[in-house]
Amino acid sequence: MTFEVHPVPVGDIRSWDFTADVVIAGYGIAGAAAAVEASAAGADVLVLERAGAWGGAAAMAGGFIYLGGGTPIQTACGFADSVDNMTAFLNAAMGPGADKSRIADYCAGSLEHFDWLVECRVPFKPEFFAEPGWEPMGDQGLMYSGGENSFPFNTIAEPAPRGHIPQMQNKKQGESSAGFMLMKPLVETATRLGARAVYDVRVQSLIVESDGRVVGITARQYGKDVAVRAHRGVVLATGSFAYNDAMVTQYAPRIAGKPAASVEQHDGQGIRMAQALGADLAHMDATEVAIFVDPQQLVRGILVNGRGQRYVAEDTYPGRIGQLTLYHQDDTAYLVIDADAQDEALASLTPQLMLRPPTWVCESVAELEGEIGLPSGSLQSTIEYYNAGAARGEDPLLHKKPQWLRPIGSPVGAIDLRNSTGGFTLGGLQTTLNGEVLHVDGDPIPGLFAAGRSTAGLAAWGYASGVSLGDGSFYGRRAGRRAAQAR
Ligand SMILES: Cc1cc2nc3c(=O)[nH]c(=O)nc-3n(C[C@H](O)[C@H](O)[C@H](O)COP(=O)(O)OP(=O)(O)OC[C@H]3O[C@@H](n4cnc5c(N)ncnc54)[C@H](O)[C@@H]3O)c2cc1C
């Protein structure tokens, strides 16, 4: 894919097709948050959206927003939390390499951000969803979404669930989930405050003055070039580069060919446009990684690698399991689960799309080991060691919680999880905490702001569900506000 990304000198523009104080590219979560705040700050706001409607990946998302520090929902559900506790967790879980000043800033502002979402009429039901799962099947508003209550994080910070989910009934995963009930109120708020939107318009490059200040955007609409004037600032909110094969191969090759939890509009255009102006990048190798199996099965089995060895506590955040499998185990895993545990998972409260039948079923572990093709004796010694600990209620190797420990019996099966991961990119433009895009020289590029997955946010290597909608909305607001104040 090639892009028209070169900055266009303002002198080349003969007429403006649209003008506004603040021009926002992309009407997903970061764009909507920016539109609300820029409008509230008194700016005339225009959002340019490539698709035929607002929403982006955010409207399809599970809707987790990572919030904490003692939100009213956490308190109503009986969980104590503090800014320091949340900060300690995120510093550990988003790294290595996480931006500590951004995490501190985000955690300090989390309660205010929750209040802002509620003011924008995002509904949250004060009910905790306690089951293992990718997201609540019902309309519950709170869930563990980052392994906070699992090893090693339960030894680093006091466990508190922070995955806040907007209330939504009749969900259909991946098509119509709680992200819709995040987006709808935000877009309605922006519209009420006067923000305008143009759809089916695809931004392609930045318009600059001779001193480098960004003063507009060029775009394609119905086969025609259009020029859009931004009197105060441009906000890039066009999403990740998960669907740009060349960029993924260049920066995050492990997920090449396996985009997931993303939309094809995430083609990296916003990132390339700003790069063409000298913008700096960060954490381009970071990715969210899902593993395509149901957590109800994961917690009841043991995950082994190609050497028949366990490598992660199966009751942790499944996205962490995905990352560790893809990056540290060469995308090779087998979930060993006995017949009773499989039946229990099937009967659990959250049968979901990802519940999978065993690939192999055998009477003995030795037979299973042979069927899978694992080194002779490897799985047998893993299970012998695991079962001895489980009988004592302990997992000395990986510290799975006692509630999920039970010796593995017979018949015993295994689910083939080789090449069963996929995800989206987390890296992007380097920004200040006010959403200003930084030049490689370290200074903000005048007139240019960005937020969401076209920027590097909270996550450096690790991830927790809710971090994307969380930092996208949090720093989308900052970018919108700062753009409204510019020049
Ligand atoms: C099924 C699914 C489940 C998910 N669950 C969660 C979750 O529970 N919690 C969480 O935090 N994250 C979740 N995510 C990820 C999250 O939705 C995204 O990371 C997040 O929406 C990124 O925000 P954004 O504003 O950068 O991008 P988006 O919300 O996708 O918005 C970007 C917008 O820009 C538009 N655009 C792109 N290029 C152009 C262009 N050239 N010109 C004009 N417009 C353009 C796009 O069409 C889109 O509308 C999920 C994603 C999916 C698909």
Side-chain angles (χ1 to χ4, degrees):
M1 195 178 327
T2 53
F3 290 129
E4 282 302 322
V5 290
H6 294 290
V8 177
V10 68
D12 289 2
I13 304 295
R14 270 169 295 167
S15 65
W16 298 101
D17 297 277
F18 302 97
T19 63
D21 294 332
V22 174
V23 174
I24 299 169
Y27 216 169
I29 186 62
V36 171
E37 288 291 84
S39 303
D44 170 35
V45 173
L46 180 68
V47 190
L48 307 173
E49 167 56 48
R50 169 182 162 170
W54 52 262
M60 294 168 62
F64 283 106
I65 315 167
Y66 204 84
L67 298 166
T71 68
I73 302 296
Q74 289 180 307
T75 307
C77 293
F79 294 98
D81 195 12
S82 68
V83 170
D84 287 351
N85 195 43
M86 179 182 180
T87 309
F89 170 77
L90 282 177
N91 278 336
M94 297 299 103
D99 179 344
K100 290 196 170 160
S101 60
R102 186 174 295 274
I103 287 175
D105 178 56
Y106 182 82
C107 294
S110 183
L111 285 180
E112 188 276 333
H113 194 49
F114 174 87
D115 290 343
W116 178 84
L117 290 163
V118 171
E119 270 166 36
C120 292
R121 302 185 194 163
V122 178
F124 294 103
K125 186 178 178 188
E127 189 178 327
F128 177 60
F129 184 77
E131 287 288 313
W134 282 104
E135 59 183 85
M137 295 304 287
D139 63 352
Q140 299 88 347
L142 188 67
M143 185 176 167
Y144 281 105
S145 68
E148 297 83 349
N149 60 341
S150 307
F151 189 82
F153 304 118
N154 56 4
T155 66
I156 292 168
E158 195 57 42
R162 302 192 185 91
H164 287 63
I165 310 110
Q167 186 170 9
M168 164 118 175
Q169 263 118 24
N170 304 321
K171 294 177 181 172
K172 226 173 170 189
Q173 262 75 31
E175 287 173 40
S176 147
S177 230
F180 180 77
M181 284 307 294
L182 172 63
M183 282 303 300
K184 184 170 179 285
L186 291 185
V187 171
E188 285 171 351
T189 304
T191 307
R192 208 168 38 245
L193 290 169
R196 294 170 290 140
V198 181
Y199 298 102
D200 297 312
V201 59
R202 186 167 172 165
V203 308
Q204 57 184 27
S205 55
L206 296 164
I207 300 171
V208 289
E209 285 182 345
S210 53
D211 63 359
R213 169 175 288 274
V214 174
V215 293
I217 267 185
T218 71
R220 293 283 292 173
Q221 189 184 32
Y222 307 127
K224 268 182 45 200
D225 287 325
V226 294
V228 186
R229 175 86 163 109
H231 293 295
R232 300 193 199 169
V234 164
V235 179
L236 297 174
T238 49
S240 78
F241 61 96
Y243 271 90
N244 182 318
D245 292 343
M247 286 178 77
V248 168
T249 303
Q250 186 176 356
Y251 293 113
R254 280 283 191 173
I255 62 154
K258 38 175 53 192
S262 188
V263 291
E264 66 186 35
Q265 288 83 359
H266 282 211
D267 64 4
Q269 177 76 3
I271 298 173
R272 288 305 203 205
M273 285 160 66
Q275 273 188 284
L277 211 57
D280 206 355
L281 303 174
H283 303 310
M284 293 295 279
D285 59 338
T287 61
E288 181 269 357
V289 185
I291 183 160
F292 304 128
V293 62
D294 199 287
Q296 290 282 0
Q297 293 175 295
L298 282 172
V299 295
R300 292 178 169 86
I302 60 164
L303 263 182
V304 299
N305 61 17
R307 295 176 297 283
Q309 295 164 332
R310 288 177 71 219
Y311 57 92
V312 62
E314 295 83 358
D315 62 348
T316 191
Y317 170 51
R320 182 171 169 80
I321 294 176
Q323 289 184 317
L324 292 175
T325 303
L326 176 62
Y327 286 96
H328 292 178
Q329 307 301 336
D330 210 17
D331 216 7
T332 299
Y334 306 95
L335 181 67
V336 178
I337 185 164
D338 69 22
D340 289 347
Q342 174 74 0
D343 288 348
E344 261 183 40
L346 283 169
S348 66
L349 292 176
T350 61
Q352 287 198 4
L353 302 171
M354 291 196 206
L355 211 71
R356 293 172 63 157
T359 316
W360 305 275
V361 178
C362 297
E363 287 305 314
S364 72
V365 175
E367 273 177 84
L368 184 66
E369 189 179 82
E371 290 278 315
I372 300 174
L374 294 172
S376 173
S378 60
L379 185 63
Q380 294 178 69
S381 58
T382 292
I383 291 188
E384 194 185 328
Y385 181 74
Y386 177 80
N387 280 357
R392 299 192 305 273
E394 287 172 28
D395 175 13
L397 188 69
L398 293 165
H399 312 284
K400 181 151 83 167
K401 291 186 288 298
Q403 79 184 97
W404 301 116
L405 292 173
R406 216 191 48 205
I408 291 170
S410 169
V412 60
I415 301 169
D416 187 352
L417 294 176
R418 283 174 294 180
N419 201 16
S420 297
T421 56
F424 59 88
T425 57
L426 298 170
L429 300 169
Q430 178 80 291
T431 54
T432 66
L433 299 181
N434 282 314
E436 298 150 308
V437 175
L438 287 171
H439 192 273
V440 287
D441 70 9
D443 288 333
I445 297 174
L448 187 62
F449 307 83
R453 281 295 61 85
S454 60
T455 64
L458 296 173
W461 188 83
Y463 191 68
S465 284
V467 158
S468 278
L469 296 176
D471 74 27
S473 53
F474 191 92
Y475 291 104
R477 292 177 62 196
R478 291 272 181 89
R481 216 179 304 149
R482 185 50 72 104
Q485 292 159 356
R487 187 141 80 173

